[in-house]
Amino acid sequence: SYGASQALFGVDLEIEEGEVLALLGRNGMGKSTTVKSICRMLPASGTLTFDGKDLSRLPSHRAARLGLGLVPEGRRCFADLSVQENLIAAARKGAWTFERVIEMFPRLGERRGQRAGSLSGGEQQMLAIGRALMTNPKLLILDEATEGLAPIIRQEIWSAIRLLKADAGLSILVIDKSLKELKGVCDRAVILERGKTVWTGTIDALSEDVAHRYIGV
């Protein structure tokens, strides 16, 4: 809810370890609100569990420490910090290190000392993904990670997501509008309409009729 305005009424989704799940729906149907609820940025009723733990009463920073890594809509990099400072700001010990992020996104290595606010939109998106990976999450949430980017940069982001899918044990929740790209990387999909889950199934079972009805493509 946003104050007295309830936004979600019956969202039901589950993501397994190592699974890539697409969260779909038209604009304003509750996708980003669902992400904010999972990450404890908004109050939500119902059952919310992660890795066997109850998230519903936790503040956002404690939920993050359990292994939630968010790449927020709009990137939200720390503009006055350098690329390297952004990456190490919330780093936690694990397989994802500064060197490994730079290997995935070499452009960040070239700009490690540059202020994040001076980067292009695509570079900021790479930085936002790298920053989330540096927390070594169990669940990586990508909220419109390719929105507004040039086609060549979008392909770099999708290539990175395909590589991440091969990272054993990492679960990924993806919100995006590109069904073609989602079908190449996701295992299952959940569709929201007016704050409710209206369809769930394997990504291959998502027919053109269902997509047209609920997504508008």
Side-chain angles (χ1 to χ4, degrees):
S1 298
Y2 296 89
S5 300
Q6 186 173 343
L8 303 180
F9 299 90
V11 175
D12 186 8
L13 65 84
E14 183 175 342
I15 182 168
E16 299 290 341
E17 183 177 353
E19 185 178 37
V20 183
L21 178 71
L23 185 60
L24 306 172
R26 294 187 178 92
N27 291 341
M29 293 296 110
K31 303 185 301 296
S32 291
T33 302
T34 297
V35 167
K36 290 176 183 177
S37 298
I38 293 171
C39 294
R40 308 312 306 130
M41 298 175 185
L42 284 174
S45 59
T47 302
L48 184 61
T49 59
F50 176 70
D51 198 21
K53 299 177 178 64
D54 182 6
L55 292 183
S56 59
R57 297 183 181 277
L58 294 183
S60 58
H61 68 279
R62 289 186 59 193
R65 288 173 186 167
L66 293 179
L68 297 176
L70 174 62
V71 181
E73 186 177 15
R75 301 156 198 145
R76 301 188 185 180
C77 299
F78 301 119
D80 291 332
L81 299 184
S82 70
V83 167
Q84 185 166 359
E85 289 168 339
N86 265 271
L87 290 173
I88 65 175
R92 301 179 70 194
K93 290 183 179 180
W96 282 99
T97 61
F98 178 78
E99 290 74 22
R100 190 176 176 192
V101 169
I102 295 307
E103 183 180 351
M104 173 171 280
F105 297 120
R107 209 173 307 191
L108 297 182
E110 298 168 4
R111 290 158 174 72
R112 67 178 63 194
Q114 190 170 328
R115 286 179 60 254
S118 68
L119 300 178
S120 69
E123 290 165 349
Q124 288 186 17
Q125 190 63 73
M126 295 173 189
L127 181 57
I129 294 172
R131 182 181 59 186
L133 290 172
M134 287 284 287
T135 69
N136 279 282
K138 297 176 183 177
L139 171 63
L140 180 66
I141 302 173
L142 300 160
D143 191 355
E144 301 284 7
T146 67
E147 185 177 28
L149 302 180
I152 190 170
I153 302 298
R154 286 204 300 269
Q155 288 308 311
E156 285 190 51
I157 300 298
W158 284 115
S159 294
I161 294 172
R162 286 191 287 271
L163 288 173
L164 292 173
K165 183 177 181 179
D167 189 2
L170 179 63
S171 303
I172 306 176
L173 179 63
V174 186
I175 298 175
D176 204 274
K177 295 181 177 66
S178 177
L179 276 181
K180 178 182 177 182
E181 298 294 349
L182 289 169
K183 287 189 173 184
V185 71
C186 293
D187 301 300
R188 292 190 304 113
V190 170
I191 300 177
L192 301 185
E193 185 172 71
R194 297 181 182 179
K196 297 180 181 180
T197 297
V198 292
W199 189 92
T200 183
T202 64
I203 195 72
D204 292 334
L206 180 55
S207 66
E208 291 184 9
D209 288 344
V210 171
H212 179 75
R213 179 178 179 185
Y214 293 117
I215 307 172
V217 297

